[in-house]
Amino acid sequence: MDEPPHPLSQERIDRFARHIVLPELGGAGQMALSRSHVALIGLGGIGAPVLQYLAGAGVGRFTLVDDGDVEASNLQRQTIYTTRDIGHGKAVSARRWLANFDDKLSVEIHDQRIVAENAERLFGDADLVIDGTDNFATRLAVSDTCVHAKIPLLSAAVGRFQGQVAAFQGHLEGEPCYRCFVGDAFDAEDCDTCAEDGVLGAMVGWVGTFAAMQAVRILVSKAANMGDPAWGTLQLMDGMKPGMRPITIAKDPECRGCNPSHRD
């Protein structure tokens, strides 16, 4: 078995003590987190709290992908950035935040846009991919690559006061993928944007932290007992009521993302 990126030395045990005393997580779960590799696609309003809480949880290795620059309008919800980061690349700024937060963690960055042709090269060896991007073309490229590379996918999205988080393992027989959920009609870049519709910063934080919680649950599933990740279930989050409700996603037998006989 490979050594973790950083052994649980006394210093690390002290850092994660509040995790280790949880019987549902324990030392075995913490070690699983330290051995984990998470690819985070999109370092915006969702990606920022995901990175903060997974780094805080001790995930040992990150691949960070975003081709955008920090803008002043991002600071209302993208909590890892400051005014000094405006005009700088999000991937570079996120790596700087991570180094200041915990220099024991391993990080690789890519400041390029995900497309079908480069996706597997950028994150094909991850244990879990978390997608917080804002267009369907990228989301579908990420989903198809996760199916092909047999990587679990957490998809998170938000707009105005509504959010959604879903866990997919479409590479497994009988399990849906993200393309089963949205279909083929959204391969174009036609998502609504925060600039057009607005979004509440705290709503983005709720979606991102819930996605981080789900990620921890998935990453420690073989070493600890934090419950069922609810694969193939979309959690709809309503910031106005407030409330949450699950929706089961059916596998599409005609899906070209997770049904080999229907792929191009």
Side-chain angles (χ1 to χ4, degrees):
M1 183 176 293
D2 295 337
E3 288 299 313
H6 49 79
L8 286 185
S9 62
Q10 187 59 54
E11 176 188 1
R12 303 302 283 178
I13 289 172
D14 291 343
R15 183 168 186 134
F16 303 116
R18 300 301 185 273
H19 270 181
I20 293 170
V21 298
L22 290 169
E24 296 84 359
L25 190 65
Q30 191 60 52
M31 183 62 77
L33 290 171
S34 76
R35 296 173 185 264
S36 295
H37 174 197
V38 170
L40 186 51
I41 316 300
L43 299 169
I46 292 172
V50 169
L51 181 60
Q52 286 175 306
Y53 278 95
L54 293 187
V59 168
R61 181 182 170 197
F62 290 94
T63 295
L64 308 179
V65 184
D66 198 304
D67 68 336
D69 294 336
V70 179
E71 301 175 4
S73 61
N74 299 151
L75 304 184
Q76 162 252 11
R77 66 198 178 282
Q78 300 181 18
T79 51
I80 57 176
Y81 307 122
T82 70
T83 52
R84 292 184 178 182
D85 296 313
I86 293 173
H88 297 277
K90 288 185 179 180
V92 172
S93 299
R95 179 174 59 184
R96 181 165 53 243
W97 178 89
L98 193 61
N100 289 331
F101 179 76
D102 187 348
D103 61 4
K104 299 294 194 298
L105 305 183
S106 173
V107 59
E108 177 182 354
I109 65 169
H110 300 284
D111 58 354
Q112 54 190 291
R113 194 176 191 85
I114 293 281
V115 294
E117 292 73 24
N118 67 8
E120 189 162 359
R121 173 176 59 83
L122 297 184
F123 62 78
D125 61 342
D127 299 309
L128 175 67
V129 173
I130 305 175
D131 187 346
T133 57
D134 62 359
N135 71 85
F136 284 117
T138 299
R139 286 179 174 275
L140 288 167
V142 169
S143 174
D144 291 347
T145 300
C146 284
V147 172
H148 182 262
K150 300 180 179 180
I151 306 171
L153 169 66
L154 264 177
S155 177
V158 66
R160 293 176 59 83
F161 299 96
Q162 306 294 321
Q164 59 186 44
V165 177
F168 297 99
Q169 45 182 357
H171 57 285
L172 297 183
E173 185 176 357
E175 291 283 349
C177 70
Y178 179 78
R179 190 180 285 274
C180 291
F181 172 45
V182 302
D184 295 333
F186 296 105
D187 277 304
E189 298 181 21
D190 55 1
C191 281
D192 295 332
T193 68
C194 294
E196 295 170 346
D197 294 341
V199 65
L200 184 70
M203 185 70 212
V204 180
W206 181 22
V207 173
T209 52
F210 182 74
M213 180 73 180
Q214 289 290 79
V216 171
R217 196 187 319 276
I218 292 167
L219 293 171
V220 305
S221 60
K222 295 180 180 179
N225 183 22
M226 282 188 56
D228 182 5
W231 298 106
T233 299
L234 181 76
Q235 304 290 346
L236 287 176
M237 308 164 74
D238 190 332
M240 291 297 289
K241 291 198 176 175
M244 222 171 144
R245 63 188 177 96
I247 295 178
T248 300
I249 299 170
K251 186 175 182 68
D252 179 2
E254 303 298 315
C255 178
R256 66 184 178 90
C258 60
N259 187 333
S261 65
H262 290 82
R263 291 178 189 161
D264 294 337

